[in-house]
Structure formats: C-alpha cells, structure tokens
Amino acid sequence: MKTLGALLWALAAVSTAEAVRRSLSYLCGVCLNGGTSIPSLTTGEHIFCLCADGFEGKHCETVKGVHCYEGVGLYYRGTVSQSESRRTCEEWDADTRERYLSSDINRGRHNYCRNLHYRRRPWCNVWKNQQLVWEFCDIPRCALSSNTLTNLTVSHSVESTCGQRIRRKQMKIVGGTVATVESHPWVAAIFWHSKAKQSFRCGGSLISTCWVLTAAHCFPDSSHKAHHFSVILGKNALNETEQNMEQTFRVEEIIIHEGFDDIEGNFNNDIALLKLEPRHRKCAEESTWVRPVCLPPPWVKLQPGATCEIAGYGKEKYGLWYKSQYLRQAQVNLLADNVCRHRDYYGDMITDNMFCAARPDWSQDACEGDSGGPLVCEIDDRLFLFGIISWGDGCAMEFRPGVYTKVANYNRWIKEKTGLTSIIGGAM
C-alpha cells in the first residue's frame, strides 16, 4: 500500500507538473510584445494582459502611435527604422537592450527608432562617413490636443480668477528669459530678516488670499520662526521696489509638512505653508500683478513630454555667487517616472511624492535660489501648480533634471492646514 501510494503520488505530481508547464507555456504566449499575463488567484487561468509601455489591445497586439509620436516620443513603439537623412537604422546593441528595451518589441532586438536618452524626439544610430552616429528619425509628431495633459475640463465659479494672467513682451532661471510678474502673478518672494539685514530666502506661490505654498527645505533647523520672515507679492526685481505693484506681508505662521526629511538627501515631502499676517484685516488683494494660482485636481495625471513653466529669482548659471535680480522663467518638459528613476538619472532617490522635468537639450532648468517656486502647467487657459521647485544635482546638467514636489499628493493636507473650503484655486 505504501509503495502504491507513493507511485500514485508521483504520477499525480508528474501530471500536475505537466499541467503547470502547459499552462505556463500558454500564458507566456497569450500576451504579445513583452506583455505579462495576469492569472486568476484561484484557478491560475489567464484573466487579462498587462501590456508593456506603448502597446494595447486584448493580447497587447496593437502598437500605440505607429505612425507618429506624442510629446518627445518616450513611448513611441512604432516600426520606423529610417533616419531623417534616409539612412537605415542599425540594431540596438546588447547593453542598450538590457538597460532600456527589455519590455520593447522582441526585447529590443530590432532597429526601430526610439527615444532612450530624453532627446527631442525618436532617434537611432546610423553609419555616416564610416562612423556610427545618432540621428533623429523621419517620424511626424501626432496632432496635439488642446493640452498635453490628461484631457480635462475644470469648472470654476465666475468669481474665481486663479491661474489667469496677463502676458507682456519678454526680454532675452538657467537658459530662461526675464519675465514680468504679470506673467506669473502668483509668484511670492520670501525674505528672511535679522537685526542687521534682509536677505532673499526662497520663492513661493500664492494659493489664496492669505496662504503661500513653498518648499519645506527653505526653513532649515530653527530658522522657521515666523516673525523672521516676510513675503512680497508682485515683485519684478529683488533690488528694486515698485510700490504701485508690490504687496508686502509679515508671516504669521509657518507650517512644515510633518513627514519632511532629508535623511536620503532627497527632500521627501518637501512642502510648507506660510500664513500671511493681514493688514487692516486684509491679506493679498487681486491686481494685475498679484493673483493666486490654481491647485491641481487630485485625479489629473501629467503626461510625459508635457511642457510646463517654472519661474524664480535663482541663479542664472550653476556656480555663480549671486542670484538673478530679476524674475525669470523657463519652459521644461515632464519626464516619465521610470526615466527619472533609472540608474543613469536619480535611481531610488525619487519617491512617489516627486517628479522630474527638464529640457530635451538640457539647456533650461531651475537653480539655487529658485527653491519653493512654481512649476505650472496650462489647462483650459488657466495655470495649475503641479510642482514645487525642490532639488536637483547641479543646474541644467545632462541626465540631472530638476526634481519637483508633486502638489496633487498634498491637496488633503493643504485643505486641513488652511481650512480652505475649496483648494482648486481659492478665490481672492
């Protein structure tokens, strides 16, 4: 009986193993283009395919954007294999396939155009004058919708003017342009005061009449005593005062996020609130130069490649001993999360409370002194504060994009601390 039982158990094991093998073989083949089969927890049978980036369909059989690319083409998965100069692309080498293309078509064993290093659009390597060089590919950009963020229509009360501005002609932040405060009327200049002097500390963003949002790291150690700080709104230049435009307030309270820490050197939960002290029972008054920015709805997702704006009074070049005297602005593009978390960028220093942005040619970036300032993106002719300038390695350095606090993660925290009934742009 013992021998027969053992034999039956062995036969059952063989049968089970064969069934598992067949099942695994089926599951591996049902999802195409690097897709992963998601099985049932009870039966082990296939339920659906989790597709790799750039693919869709029941079996991940459909390539998104075959004939064009969106944004800067980070997710382009088409099969164009020709450069702009009509040269045939070379196959990607083994190291590139392993590091960047493991979830691509045939695990990257192809010569199709891709954007692997956050250049301006998809590219490939070609032979030119007996040298292997890279060139952009002959692929059109997809037609743009009204905005490059998730399609969204935001309703506002008639009274709400958050995120609206008046643009003025700009004159020729790192690599950016001098801007007038009318273009960024929510920008706040935060100053620290001692008995002997007043010095500029950080930027910030006006989110309602009495509240400014900024970065927590602007208030290190014991320096966050409210009476040592003031906020000036409507300021074009740090060393000039324009009384008809500017509004100055003492800071009544500084609220730093309870989870803020710099143990890993990455300023996690880098967000703080400043409560302005009213003058004659009033805080900020709306004008051409002073107006709140809208806070982003929590369900909105930023799409990689979307163009947003940053503004601040920071250094115009890394290593300079002085900051810009004038408000400056620059445009940056949002990076995909997996790009910024790649080991060639910042790796595991990036948390879910952060995102990265840069220029495809690395020419524009935030720099020292811009901390706490806004990264705003436009939706339906309004500007939304999606990011707070937080940290980065150097300024406008290749593979070292700016890192921003993800404001949408903190909507509930902002509402709890400020008591604002609506935080998607408080009316003045």
Side-chain angles (χ1 to χ4, degrees):
M1 290 292 292
K2 200 171 194 180
T3 305
L4 180 59
L7 180 60
L8 290 173
W9 184 89
L11 287 172
V14 170
S15 177
T16 302
E18 178 63 18
V20 170
R21 185 188 68 76
R22 289 177 180 175
S23 177
L24 287 175
S25 176
Y26 168 73
L27 291 178
C28 288
V30 74
C31 300
L32 306 175
N33 297 314
T36 303
S37 174
I38 305 300
S40 166
L41 294 177
T42 55
T43 65
E45 295 179 356
H46 168 77
I47 302 176
F48 66 91
C49 290
L50 182 64
C51 299
D53 291 335
F55 298 94
E56 58 188 357
K58 185 176 180 180
H59 303 290
C60 306
E61 73 279 9
T62 305
V63 181
K64 294 180 181 176
V66 177
H67 305 296
C68 61
Y69 68 91
E70 296 180 349
V72 292
L74 290 175
Y75 293 115
Y76 172 76
R77 292 296 182 271
T79 56
V80 171
S81 57
Q82 188 177 68
S83 74
E84 287 184 325
S85 64
R86 304 292 181 182
R87 290 178 170 84
T88 300
C89 299
E90 293 296 309
E91 280 201 4
W92 299 102
D93 61 79
D95 181 60
T96 299
R97 293 199 303 268
E98 180 183 352
R99 295 174 69 180
Y100 302 106
L101 299 173
S102 59
S103 64
D104 207 313
I105 301 172
N106 199 22
R107 295 187 176 274
R109 290 181 175 274
H110 58 67
N111 67 335
Y112 305 142
C113 301
R114 297 291 183 261
N115 188 355
L116 304 184
H117 300 301
Y118 199 66
R119 294 187 167 122
R120 289 197 296 274
R121 56 186 187 273
W123 55 278
C124 70
N125 293 312
V126 297
W127 284 103
K128 186 176 182 179
N129 299 328
Q130 298 183 333
Q131 286 186 318
L132 194 64
V133 298
W134 70 269
E135 285 188 356
F136 288 121
C137 290
D138 188 21
I139 309 171
R141 190 172 184 180
C142 300
L144 295 176
S145 60
S146 59
N147 59 74
T148 51
L149 307 176
T150 298
N151 289 333
L152 168 75
T153 298
V154 181
S155 60
H156 293 272
S157 64
V158 176
E159 294 80 11
S160 176
T161 57
C162 75
Q164 296 181 333
R165 64 180 176 188
I166 299 172
R167 286 188 177 273
R168 288 288 182 90
K169 186 177 180 181
Q170 298 159 0
M171 298 171 284
K172 203 35 203 160
I173 286 181
V174 178
T177 56
V178 173
T180 57
V181 75
E182 294 97 315
S183 297
H184 303 273
W186 38 83
V187 167
I190 302 170
F191 289 84
W192 178 80
H193 302 269
S194 68
K195 292 181 180 179
K197 63 176 182 177
Q198 166 182 296
S199 59
F200 174 75
R201 172 63 64 87
C202 274
S205 301
L206 185 70
I207 61 171
S208 76
T209 180
C210 286
W211 291 96
V212 167
L213 198 63
T214 185
H217 80 261
C218 293
F219 311 96
D221 306 323
S222 60
S223 71
H224 50 271
K225 295 178 180 177
H227 67 272
H228 285 310
F229 291 90
S230 66
V231 170
I232 303 180
L233 307 171
K235 194 165 189 62
N236 270 319
L238 293 181
N239 61 349
E240 297 175 9
T241 300
E242 298 172 276
Q243 293 184 350
N244 64 316
M245 297 164 50
E246 296 178 10
Q247 299 180 35
T248 303
F249 299 90
R250 293 180 179 275
V251 175
E252 182 177 299
E253 185 181 7
I254 300 174
I255 303 174
I256 294 176
H257 194 279
E258 301 81 357
F260 170 68
D261 71 70
D262 189 31
I263 296 174
E264 303 297 330
N266 62 350
F267 293 150
N268 195 26
N269 295 304
D270 192 14
I271 189 169
L273 283 160
L274 304 187
K275 186 177 183 181
L276 305 183
E277 187 177 294
R279 300 180 306 174
H280 310 296
R281 298 184 180 181
K282 288 185 178 181
C283 293
E285 296 186 58
E286 185 176 321
S287 69
T288 301
W289 309 282
V290 176
R291 189 167 293 180
V293 67
C294 303
L295 291 180
W299 61 86
V300 177
K301 285 188 176 181
L302 298 169
Q303 299 299 313
T307 300
C308 299
E309 297 177 22
I310 54 177
Y313 306 92
K315 294 181 179 180
E316 297 174 34
K317 185 178 180 182
Y318 184 66
L320 293 179
W321 62 269
Y322 58 89
K323 297 180 177 65
S324 171
Q325 289 300 310
Y326 296 94
L327 180 66
R328 299 178 72 84
Q329 66 177 21
Q331 289 189 331
V332 291
N333 297 100
L334 305 178
L335 274 71
D337 190 57
N338 62 340
V339 172
C340 200
R341 291 174 187 257
H342 194 276
R343 60 189 177 187
D344 287 346
Y345 287 70
Y346 290 123
D348 58 9
M349 292 183 72
I350 302 301
T351 73
D352 291 339
N353 298 317
M354 310 170 189
F355 66 89
C356 298
R359 291 291 293 173
D361 59 0
W362 309 100
S363 63
Q364 299 182 21
D365 193 10
C367 202
E368 185 182 346
D370 289 320
S371 290
L375 178 144
V376 296
C377 311
E378 188 170 357
I379 304 174
D380 292 343
D381 299 321
R382 289 180 186 263
L383 279 298
F384 287 78
L385 182 68
F386 279 95
I388 298 171
I389 298 172
S390 182
W391 63 278
D393 187 359
C395 307
M397 290 176 58
E398 191 172 10
F399 303 125
R400 292 296 181 267
V403 182
Y404 300 81
T405 304
K406 193 182 295 182
V407 173
N409 284 10
Y410 301 93
N411 279 2
R412 181 177 297 178
W413 179 80
I414 295 169
K415 190 171 183 177
E416 288 175 354
K417 298 302 180 182
T418 62
L420 296 173
T421 55
S422 174
I423 61 167
I424 303 178
M428 300 283 284

